[in-house]
Each structure stands twice: as structure tokens, then as C-alpha cells.
Amino acid sequence: MEYNVLDFGAVADGVTNNAAAIQRAIDEATIRGGKVIIPSGRFLSGTLTLKSNVELYLETGAVLISSLNPADILDFAKLFSDDNRETGWDGGCFLFACHEENITIAGNGTIYGQ
């Protein structure tokens, strides 16, 4: 099945934070497996949690842009009890998965982490 993020309320203006809309598409796709489509346009987003059996597909002309607002970005190191010593990471992440499998990121679009 295909899940176009526009159908979940995403706005391709490069300004609106589309994390909630894109995450809803990912969450829906993980139930039955499927492809989350990022169509042509500029989609700003906070952290996205990728899940098992989902393909994140960026069409030609699609740009998935990481938010620079720290409140929009998950500091995944805080999920560990030893606070960064185990992970060696200090800071947030834009695309995140933990204990998931069969994840694909594909297409001719761009992921712009800023």
C-alpha cells in the first residue's frame, strides 16, 4: 500500500513542521507494511521515527528538511540510562529507528539535514 503524506495533512511549503503528518503516515504504513510517499515539494519536519516494514520514498523534486528548532528534534541519547557514554552521541537525530527492521529509504528526492 502507498501512503502519500499529503493525505495525512503535510504541507509542502518548506515552513510548516510536517512531523506529525509524516509520522501518522509512517505509523499507518507499519500496520500493513507499505510505502510512505514524500511527493515533490519542500517538507520541513522534526524527528521522524522510522518503523519496521516501511519504505520512505522521496519522489523526484521532494526535499525532506530537518527542523533547526531543538524542540522539534529527539535527543535519542536520553533514551539510554548512561546519558551519552554508551552511545557516544551528544545531540538530536532527524531520522530515528530503534529495534526495527526492513526499513528502506529510497527515491530521487533529497534529505536535507541542515
Side-chain angles (χ1 to χ4, degrees), residues 1 10 16 18 20 31 37 51 56 59-61 66 69 76-77 80 89 102 109-110:
M1 297 199 59
T16 302
N18 290 289
I31 294 169
I37 306 288
K51 299 195 176 174
L56 182 63
E59 292 184 340
T60 300
S66 176
N69 182 343
F76 82 94
F80 299 95
W89 178 260
N102 301 321
T110 301

Short mmCIF file of all heavy atoms in Angstrom, two decimals, residues 1 10 16 18 20 31 37 51 56 59-61 66 69 76-77 80 89 102 109-110:
data_model
loop_
_atom_site.label_atom_id
_atom_site.label_comp_id
_atom_site.label_asym_id
_atom_site.label_seq_id
_atom_site.Cartn_x
_atom_site.Cartn_y
_atom_site.Cartn_z
N MET A 1 0.83 -1.18 0.00
CA MET A 1 0.00 0.00 0.00
C MET A 1 0.88 1.24 0.00
O MET A 1 1.99 1.22 0.52
CB MET A 1 -0.92 0.01 1.21
CG MET A 1 -1.90 -1.14 1.23
SD MET A 1 -3.33 -0.88 2.30
CE MET A 1 -4.06 0.58 1.64
N ALA A 10 0.22 16.89 5.40
CA ALA A 10 1.51 17.55 5.18
C ALA A 10 1.35 18.69 4.19
O ALA A 10 0.52 18.63 3.27
CB ALA A 10 2.55 16.55 4.67
N THR A 16 6.11 24.92 7.30
CA THR A 16 5.25 24.19 8.23
C THR A 16 5.98 22.94 8.72
O THR A 16 6.54 22.19 7.92
CB THR A 16 3.95 23.77 7.52
OG1 THR A 16 3.30 24.93 7.02
CG2 THR A 16 3.02 23.02 8.46
N ASN A 18 5.98 19.42 9.43
CA ASN A 18 5.14 18.31 8.99
C ASN A 18 5.40 17.01 9.75
O ASN A 18 4.93 15.95 9.33
CB ASN A 18 5.38 18.06 7.50
CG ASN A 18 4.82 19.18 6.66
OD1 ASN A 18 3.62 19.32 6.53
ND2 ASN A 18 5.71 19.98 6.10
N ALA A 20 4.21 15.64 12.48
CA ALA A 20 3.03 14.89 12.90
C ALA A 20 2.36 14.21 11.72
O ALA A 20 1.97 13.03 11.80
CB ALA A 20 2.05 15.80 13.63
N ILE A 31 1.52 -0.78 9.98
CA ILE A 31 0.49 -1.76 10.34
C ILE A 31 0.41 -2.88 9.30
O ILE A 31 0.38 -4.05 9.64
CB ILE A 31 -0.88 -1.07 10.50
CG1 ILE A 31 -0.84 -0.12 11.71
CG2 ILE A 31 -2.00 -2.10 10.65
CD1 ILE A 31 -2.05 0.80 11.81
N ILE A 37 5.05 8.01 0.78
CA ILE A 37 5.47 8.84 -0.34
C ILE A 37 5.65 10.29 0.12
O ILE A 37 4.73 10.90 0.66
CB ILE A 37 4.42 8.83 -1.47
CG1 ILE A 37 4.09 7.40 -1.91
CG2 ILE A 37 4.86 9.71 -2.64
CD1 ILE A 37 5.15 6.72 -2.68
N LYS A 51 9.79 2.95 11.22
CA LYS A 51 9.31 1.71 11.81
C LYS A 51 9.45 0.55 10.84
O LYS A 51 9.65 0.74 9.65
CB LYS A 51 7.86 1.89 12.24
CG LYS A 51 7.75 3.00 13.29
CD LYS A 51 6.45 2.98 14.00
CE LYS A 51 6.45 4.05 15.08
NZ LYS A 51 5.15 4.15 15.70
N LEU A 56 10.36 4.62 3.07
CA LEU A 56 10.21 6.06 2.96
C LEU A 56 10.73 6.43 1.58
O LEU A 56 11.91 6.27 1.29
CB LEU A 56 11.01 6.77 4.05
CG LEU A 56 10.90 8.30 4.09
CD1 LEU A 56 9.46 8.73 4.38
CD2 LEU A 56 11.85 8.87 5.13
N GLU A 59 10.04 11.21 -3.86
CA GLU A 59 9.93 11.37 -5.30
C GLU A 59 10.90 12.43 -5.80
O GLU A 59 11.39 13.27 -5.03
CB GLU A 59 8.50 11.77 -5.67
CG GLU A 59 7.49 10.67 -5.44
CD GLU A 59 6.09 11.05 -5.89
OE1 GLU A 59 5.77 12.25 -6.05
OE2 GLU A 59 5.28 10.11 -6.09
N THR A 60 11.16 12.42 -7.09
CA THR A 60 12.00 13.44 -7.71
C THR A 60 11.42 14.82 -7.38
O THR A 60 10.22 15.04 -7.53
CB THR A 60 12.06 13.24 -9.23
OG1 THR A 60 12.63 11.94 -9.49
CG2 THR A 60 12.91 14.30 -9.90
N GLY A 61 12.26 15.71 -6.90
CA GLY A 61 11.83 17.05 -6.54
C GLY A 61 11.40 17.18 -5.08
O GLY A 61 11.14 18.29 -4.61
N SER A 66 15.25 18.91 7.73
CA SER A 66 15.28 18.83 9.19
C SER A 66 15.03 20.20 9.81
O SER A 66 15.64 21.19 9.41
CB SER A 66 16.63 18.30 9.66
OG SER A 66 16.69 18.30 11.08
N ASN A 69 14.87 23.80 14.99
CA ASN A 69 14.34 24.08 16.31
C ASN A 69 14.64 22.89 17.22
O ASN A 69 14.13 21.79 16.99
CB ASN A 69 12.84 24.34 16.24
CG ASN A 69 12.24 24.69 17.57
OD1 ASN A 69 12.82 24.48 18.64
ND2 ASN A 69 11.03 25.22 17.53
N PHE A 76 17.96 11.23 21.12
CA PHE A 76 17.78 9.82 21.40
C PHE A 76 18.71 9.32 22.49
O PHE A 76 18.43 8.31 23.14
CB PHE A 76 17.93 8.97 20.12
CG PHE A 76 19.34 8.67 19.74
CD1 PHE A 76 19.94 7.50 20.14
CD2 PHE A 76 20.07 9.55 18.97
CE1 PHE A 76 21.24 7.21 19.79
CE2 PHE A 76 21.36 9.27 18.60
CZ PHE A 76 21.96 8.10 19.01
N ALA A 77 19.81 9.99 22.75
CA ALA A 77 20.73 9.56 23.80
C ALA A 77 20.06 9.55 25.16
O ALA A 77 20.45 8.79 26.05
CB ALA A 77 21.97 10.46 23.80
N PHE A 80 18.86 6.26 26.86
CA PHE A 80 19.79 5.35 27.49
C PHE A 80 20.09 5.83 28.91
O PHE A 80 20.25 7.02 29.15
CB PHE A 80 21.08 5.25 26.68
CG PHE A 80 20.87 4.74 25.29
CD1 PHE A 80 20.70 5.62 24.23
CD2 PHE A 80 20.79 3.39 25.04
CE1 PHE A 80 20.48 5.15 22.94
CE2 PHE A 80 20.56 2.91 23.76
CZ PHE A 80 20.41 3.79 22.71
N TRP A 89 27.14 9.88 21.60
CA TRP A 89 26.44 10.90 20.81
C TRP A 89 25.91 11.97 21.74
O TRP A 89 25.33 11.70 22.78
CB TRP A 89 25.29 10.25 20.05
CG TRP A 89 24.51 11.23 19.24
CD1 TRP A 89 23.31 11.79 19.59
CD2 TRP A 89 24.85 11.77 17.97
NE1 TRP A 89 22.89 12.64 18.61
CE2 TRP A 89 23.82 12.65 17.60
CE3 TRP A 89 25.92 11.60 17.12
CZ2 TRP A 89 23.84 13.36 16.41
CZ3 TRP A 89 25.94 12.29 15.94
CH2 TRP A 89 24.91 13.15 15.59
N ASN A 102 13.66 -4.08 8.32
CA ASN A 102 13.06 -3.95 6.98
C ASN A 102 12.64 -2.51 6.68
O ASN A 102 11.53 -2.26 6.21
CB ASN A 102 11.88 -4.90 6.80
CG ASN A 102 12.28 -6.34 6.99
OD1 ASN A 102 13.35 -6.75 6.56
ND2 ASN A 102 11.44 -7.10 7.65
N GLY A 109 14.58 11.95 -4.40
CA GLY A 109 14.47 13.18 -3.64
C GLY A 109 15.68 13.39 -2.75
O GLY A 109 16.64 12.62 -2.77
N THR A 110 15.61 14.45 -1.95
CA THR A 110 16.74 14.86 -1.12
C THR A 110 16.34 14.89 0.35
O THR A 110 15.26 15.38 0.68
CB THR A 110 17.20 16.27 -1.53
OG1 THR A 110 17.58 16.24 -2.91
CG2 THR A 110 18.36 16.76 -0.70
#
